[in-house]
Amino acid sequence: MAVDDDDQEIIQEEDFDELNEMEDNTNGSVGCSLRLFLGSSRELGLGSKSKWESSTSTSTNTTLSRNISIDFYEGFVINPNGRFYRCWVNIIFLWSIYSSFFTPLEFGFFRGLPDHLRNLDTMQMVFFADVILQFFVAYRDLHTYKMIFDKKRIAMRYAKGSFALDLLGCFPWDSIYKGTGRKEAIRWLLWIRLYRARKVTEFFRKMEKDIRINYMFCRIAKLITVELYCTHTAACIFYYLATTLPPAKEGHTWIGSLTLGDYKYINFREIDFWRRYITSLYFAIVTMATVGYGDIHAVNPREMIFIMVYISFDMVLGAYLIGNMTALIVKGSNTERFRDKMTDLIKYMNRNKLGKGIRSQIKSHLRLKYESSYAKASILEDIPIAVRAKISQTLYIETIQQVLLFKGCSDEFLSQIVMKLNEEFFLPGEVILDQGSAVDQVYVISHGHLEEVAIGEDGSEESIAKLDPHCVFGEVAVLCSIPQPYTVRVCELCRLIRIEKQAFTSILKLYCTDSRRILNNLLKGKDTDLRIKQMESDITYLIAKQDSELALGVNSAAYHGDLYHLKGLINAGADPGKIDYNGRSALHLASSRGYEVIVRFLIQRGVNVNSIDKFGISPLLEAIKAGHDRVAALLLQNGAKLNLEDPGSYLCKVVVDSNIDFLKRLLENGVDPNSKNYDQRTPLHVAASEGLHIVAKILIQFGADVLSEDRWGNTPLDEGRRCGSRPLLKILEQAKKDCMVEHDGIFQSESTHGNMGE
């Protein structure tokens, strides 16, 4: 994660102080990240070898507090939160104040320390001891947020950082100046010691966040300190400029030519030190305030040049002071908002008696949010949605494309996913998902490392897998609608991008092909991923369920004649020829409802026009049965057939139902009227036995044979005589006569042809 330098300093230095036995009335800590101490030392081979225990358990809290209180780790690595080092930091802070103020004074007023002040230079040994100590102080890696105990890494970090300046500041420059023949260039190296002023700045930064101290008091004290230090330094430089001229030309300096009342500053080097310092400080203050009375002014060009630079700097300093005072009045400071938020948060936690574990996590997230300003939503909340979508596309598309779960998915699908993403940062040791919990987010790791842990019934832990960048977790629970199988815990500072379950499932419903591909990607990893292998049956069931629901969606759109929805489903990847649990396709339903446009669309999409459902019915039969002649003609044009498995039995059933129109359409579409059922009975047998003379007439018109015998040797005419229906007998006897005449005509025609042949 990219963090500004100032934020890095805040995170690194301030959190060290707050990690040591924080109470609720202090400023927000990063206590939850302490849980990484044991894990970090174990990984580096420096700490306890025991397994990581739950952050919510009492034993872990006891262990952590014991680890915080120690001063040293193995191999003489100093704990930055131990009492020894905290006391040492306070000592260095006090000496840093002395060094910051005394250095300009030594440079301006002393050309070599006098004998009675020479011992002050020996105090640089304190800072030299601090330099040596820094090679053994553990630190928190800003990239992983882990505590680093490796002495080699600690030494390399400090050597590449402030070691050179810290070491140069410890040199006895006064003794070197005297030993090199009082060369003026050596004295200028004293200013290196001002690098220690950063410790004073860090002190004020911490004090501003301490909610036990009034924020306005902190800010005013800081501003006064800045103003006094600037004028103090300017006063020392003013005096230094006067001393750089030889004694013979001292009258051509601002202080050598100065007369205040009856007092003249001739031979000012012999004047009392405090009178000289106060005079210089007065000159610096009235110059900064630009309210001088003309009693003190620049005399030579060097003083004029410095005053011009000084006044220019004073304008910037004045703007800084006024701006900060204005921020105090209107409460526009981020730090003040942070303090107010932390105060309200602590009151809330005290009122609800929240445990220490959750207190630490809440404070940590508030501190991280304040120091790094990572929340994208708060930054972009005023940006239009369309622009935010483009920003998300730029930020996250490359990460999403490298996720194995989304391998092979369409660009449109990935674009929809990216638009719904949000990012979050988590500190080491935090639990993102608990084992057995309901999951409503799918997480993708953008940066950092996590681990999956199985929690046993006895509270024991077993590491299941390490999660690296571009890994996904929470997807199995969301897709399969099951509880989270494992606990997911942060190993180092991580940046996660997440999508809500509702948004994720909604996108999956729109892109059917990509949804199926995602499930297949899950199954492909079952051989190498234990968690997926154990969920194989759930995923397989989900795929089957999804296919079934998709077929129902396509069939429903075809049944209701919703061409727009049907096109949308098919364009999203749905199979138009997919059958439902009864073996019926969308073409069956569209044909039965008579939707010619949908039938034509499905035929163009390559749907099988001769598919048979579980009841032996084809789309053409559905259209004929419902009387949709135009749809039936369209199906016939495209090669559709009735494909009746048992046309005799089917026609007999139609005859029994007396469905005359349906019977006519079947016969017109080529069904043989002499088809027989399992008893060798034709539809005419059934019509004659039931006395259905109209049905019998229709069958005879389409060529039904009145002399056809069933397995008992009965003909339709015999059945008609038993029935006793006169209209029926008349029709059957007339059909018999016509049949006999036809047979006689055929016989005579064959005989005539035979005689002629002889």
Side-chain angles (χ1 to χ4, degrees):
M1 179 188 70
V3 182
D4 294 340
D5 294 339
D6 294 340
D7 293 336
Q8 290 180 341
E9 293 178 3
I10 295 173
I11 294 175
Q12 180 180 1
E13 299 294 337
E14 294 180 3
D15 287 346
F16 285 163
D17 294 335
E18 294 171 356
L19 288 174
N20 188 24
E21 302 176 352
M22 288 297 297
E23 298 295 335
D24 282 343
N25 60 347
T26 61
N27 52 336
S29 72
V30 289
C32 70
S33 56
L34 290 175
R35 284 174 256 144
L36 193 61
F37 281 178
L38 286 177
S40 301
S41 58
R42 174 170 54 83
E43 293 172 4
L44 296 170
L46 297 173
S48 172
K49 301 296 183 181
S50 62
K51 291 186 177 179
W52 181 278
E53 295 185 358
S54 174
S55 60
T56 58
S57 65
T58 305
S59 60
T60 299
N61 291 332
T62 305
T63 305
L64 289 175
S65 61
R66 184 166 59 250
N67 273 4
I68 297 173
S69 61
I70 64 175
D71 290 325
F72 301 96
Y73 296 106
E74 292 184 13
F76 193 72
V77 176
I78 300 174
N79 178 12
N81 306 291
R83 294 179 180 177
F84 164 76
Y85 186 73
R86 292 169 65 86
C87 292
W88 177 258
V89 168
N90 292 332
I91 293 173
I92 293 299
F93 164 70
L94 294 175
W95 280 104
S96 296
I97 297 176
Y98 143 75
S99 179
S100 299
F101 278 87
F102 185 75
T103 296
L105 197 69
E106 180 181 356
F107 177 80
F109 286 86
F110 301 106
R111 291 186 176 277
L113 290 175
D115 293 339
H116 65 282
L117 296 178
R118 185 175 300 171
N119 291 333
L120 290 177
D121 207 32
T122 60
M123 297 307 299
Q124 301 303 324
M125 296 301 297
V126 176
F127 294 103
F128 182 72
D130 184 64
V131 170
I132 297 176
L133 210 61
Q134 292 302 316
F135 283 97
F136 302 95
V137 179
Y139 70 95
R140 190 173 301 280
D141 190 337
L142 299 177
H143 182 69
T144 64
Y145 221 70
K146 286 184 177 181
M147 289 296 297
I148 302 301
F149 305 95
D150 184 15
K151 287 192 291 185
K152 183 177 180 180
R153 293 182 62 182
I154 295 172
M156 288 298 296
R157 173 178 175 269
Y158 182 57
K160 293 179 180 180
S162 59
F163 167 69
L165 292 176
D166 288 343
L167 182 63
L168 288 174
C170 297
F171 280 23
W173 294 114
D174 182 71
S175 300
I176 296 174
Y177 168 71
K178 294 175 181 177
T180 56
R182 297 182 179 269
K183 293 182 179 180
E184 190 65 19
I186 299 298
R187 296 185 66 244
W188 282 90
L189 295 176
L190 285 171
W191 291 102
I192 296 177
R193 294 176 180 173
L194 291 187
Y195 184 66
R196 299 166 182 165
R198 74 185 191 279
K199 299 184 182 295
V200 182
T201 303
E202 291 164 2
F203 167 78
F204 278 109
R205 189 183 293 121
K206 295 177 187 176
M207 192 169 65
E208 288 174 358
K209 297 184 184 70
D210 192 338
I211 61 176
R212 296 173 299 179
I213 305 174
N214 183 272
Y215 180 69
M216 181 171 288
F217 168 79
C218 296
R219 295 295 293 178
I220 292 176
K222 177 180 178 180
L223 297 177
I224 291 176
T225 302
V226 171
E227 190 272 336
L228 288 177
Y229 186 75
C230 291
T231 54
H232 165 76
T233 303
C236 296
I237 296 176
F238 275 132
Y239 185 80
Y240 170 77
L241 292 175
T243 59
T244 54
L245 292 179
K249 297 182 179 180
E250 288 180 352
H252 297 285
T253 63
W254 67 271
I255 190 171
S257 61
L258 180 61
T259 300
L260 295 178
D262 295 333
Y263 189 86
K264 295 184 179 180
Y265 283 78
I266 301 174
N267 299 322
F268 61 86
R269 298 174 191 265
E270 300 175 1
I271 299 176
D272 177 63
F273 165 77
W274 287 108
R275 188 179 187 92
R276 286 179 286 156
Y277 175 73
I278 292 175
T279 303
S280 299
L281 187 62
Y282 172 75
F283 186 24
I285 292 177
V286 296
T287 302
M288 183 186 72
T290 64
V291 293
Y293 300 101
D295 46 358
I296 301 178
H297 57 274
V299 175
N300 56 61
R302 290 192 306 167
E303 295 172 353
M304 294 178 185
I305 293 173
F306 177 73
I307 289 177
M308 287 189 292
V309 174
Y310 178 54
I311 292 178
S312 300
F313 168 77
D314 287 341
M315 289 189 290
V316 177
L317 179 62
Y320 168 78
L321 297 175
I322 295 173
N324 276 269
M325 292 303 297
T326 304
L328 280 176
I329 297 173
V330 300
K331 291 191 174 183
S333 169
N334 289 333
T335 302
E336 190 167 9
R337 286 194 292 267
F338 165 77
R339 288 167 57 96
D340 294 340
K341 183 72 174 180
M342 181 62 73
T343 302
D344 295 339
L345 193 60
I346 290 175
K347 290 179 181 178
Y348 173 82
M349 292 188 293
N350 289 337
R351 182 170 63 250
N352 293 278
K353 299 180 180 180
L354 299 182
K356 291 184 178 180
I358 189 64
R359 287 171 184 261
S360 297
Q361 292 189 21
I362 293 173
K363 292 177 182 179
S364 300
H365 273 290
L366 183 61
R367 170 56 60 86
L368 185 62
K369 181 177 180 180
Y370 163 74
E371 290 173 344
S372 61
S373 300
Y374 69 88
K376 183 191 77 168
S378 61
I379 298 173
L380 304 179
E381 59 184 3
D382 297 328
I383 304 298
I385 296 178
V387 179
R388 274 185 279 173
K390 293 180 181 179
I391 295 174
S392 298
Q393 185 81 9
T394 303
L395 293 177
Y396 307 131
I397 189 62
E398 292 185 2
T399 300
I400 293 300
Q401 287 174 343
Q402 298 181 55
V403 175
L404 292 179
L405 182 67
F406 301 126
K407 183 179 180 181
C409 293
S410 63
D411 293 337
E412 294 81 2
F413 173 78
L414 295 181
S415 297
Q416 293 297 320
I417 291 291
V418 166
M419 290 174 60
K420 300 295 182 180
L421 292 176
N422 293 288
E423 69 176 30
E424 288 185 352
F425 286 75
F426 291 91
L427 296 170
E430 289 195 55
V431 174
I432 310 298
L433 297 176
D434 285 307
Q435 179 176 316
S437 62
V439 180
D440 58 357
Q441 309 277 349
V442 176
Y443 293 88
V444 177
I445 304 174
S446 176
H447 168 80
H449 298 275
L450 299 91
E451 64 175 344
E452 285 185 326
V453 179
I455 309 297
E457 295 182 357
D458 57 351
S460 61
E461 295 186 357
E462 178 184 359
S463 180
I464 301 299
K466 296 293 183 181
L467 302 179
D468 300 318
H470 306 130
C471 287
V472 184
F473 60 91
E475 80 286 10
V476 175
V478 168
L479 293 175
C480 299
S481 298
I482 60 174
Q484 173 64 18
Y486 305 116
T487 294
V488 180
R489 187 167 55 212
V490 181
C491 294
E492 61 183 44
L493 181 66
C494 63
R495 174 175 175 248
L496 304 180
I497 50 180
R498 59 176 176 82
I499 182 172
E500 295 183 358
K501 177 180 180 179
Q502 183 177 0
F504 186 54
T505 53
S506 298
I507 296 174
L508 290 178
K509 290 179 181 179
L510 293 176
Y511 295 87
C512 308
T513 303
D514 295 306
S515 176
R516 177 61 181 268
R517 185 169 287 111
I518 284 176
L519 294 176
N520 288 333
N521 289 340
L522 272 180
L523 282 178
K524 286 180 181 178
K526 63 183 175 62
D527 295 332
T528 56
D529 196 332
L530 178 61
R531 62 195 178 110
I532 302 300
K533 188 174 182 179
Q534 294 175 346
M535 304 296 167
E536 180 179 356
S537 60
D538 294 320
I539 298 172
T540 304
Y541 165 75
L542 185 64
I543 292 175
K545 179 182 177 183
Q546 186 183 72
D547 290 343
S548 177
E549 291 177 349
L550 194 57
L552 288 175
V554 173
N555 289 0
S556 176
Y559 180 81
H560 292 95
D562 191 347
L563 180 61
Y564 178 79
H565 183 49
L566 180 63
K567 286 183 177 180
L569 289 172
I570 294 176
N571 291 335
D575 184 4
K578 197 72 176 179
I579 59 176
D580 62 10
Y581 51 87
N582 283 327
R584 295 165 65 83
S585 68
L587 189 59
H588 281 86
L589 298 173
S591 299
S592 67
R593 301 285 289 180
Y595 298 127
E596 183 180 355
V597 177
I598 293 182
V599 171
R600 189 183 304 277
F601 172 73
L602 292 173
I603 292 174
Q604 292 173 351
R605 289 286 181 167
V607 178
N608 183 13
V609 295
N610 290 311
S611 62
I612 305 298
D613 64 13
K614 291 183 178 180
F615 308 104
I617 300 175
S618 65
L620 179 58
L621 184 57
E622 290 282 8
I624 293 172
K625 184 177 180 180
H628 304 304
D629 297 332
R630 292 174 60 88
V631 174
L634 179 61
L635 291 169
L636 286 170
Q637 291 174 6
N638 288 274
K641 297 179 182 180
L642 287 173
N643 293 326
L644 293 174
E645 293 181 1
D646 188 0
S649 297
Y650 193 82
L651 282 179
C652 290
K653 184 178 182 302
V654 173
V655 169
V656 171
D657 294 338
S658 298
N659 195 336
I660 298 174
D661 293 335
F662 183 33
L663 179 63
K664 283 183 178 181
R665 288 191 291 270
L666 286 173
L667 297 173
E668 288 172 353
N669 283 277
V671 179
D672 186 4
N674 293 309
S675 301
K676 296 182 178 183
N677 65 6
Y678 51 89
D679 285 329
Q680 299 297 308
R681 292 167 64 83
T682 65
L684 191 56
H685 280 87
V686 177
S689 65
E690 296 291 335
L692 303 173
H693 62 282
I694 298 176
V695 175
K697 184 177 181 180
I698 294 173
L699 289 169
I700 292 171
Q701 288 175 353
F702 280 92
D705 186 6
V706 295
L707 300 177
S708 176
E709 295 181 355
D710 60 15
R711 70 173 180 170
W712 298 284
N714 296 321
T715 65
L717 185 58
D718 295 334
E719 295 287 352
R721 288 170 181 165
R722 291 193 188 98
C723 178
S725 174
R726 292 181 179 180
L728 176 63
L729 282 173
K730 184 178 180 180
I731 293 171
L732 293 174
E733 290 176 350
Q734 182 62 41
K736 180 180 179 182
K737 293 178 180 179
D738 294 339
C739 184
M740 294 299 294
V741 171
E742 183 178 354
H743 281 292
D744 291 342
I746 295 173
F747 178 75
Q748 291 176 2
S749 175
E750 291 178 351
S751 299
T752 303
H753 285 293
N755 294 329
M756 290 177 64
E758 293 177 355

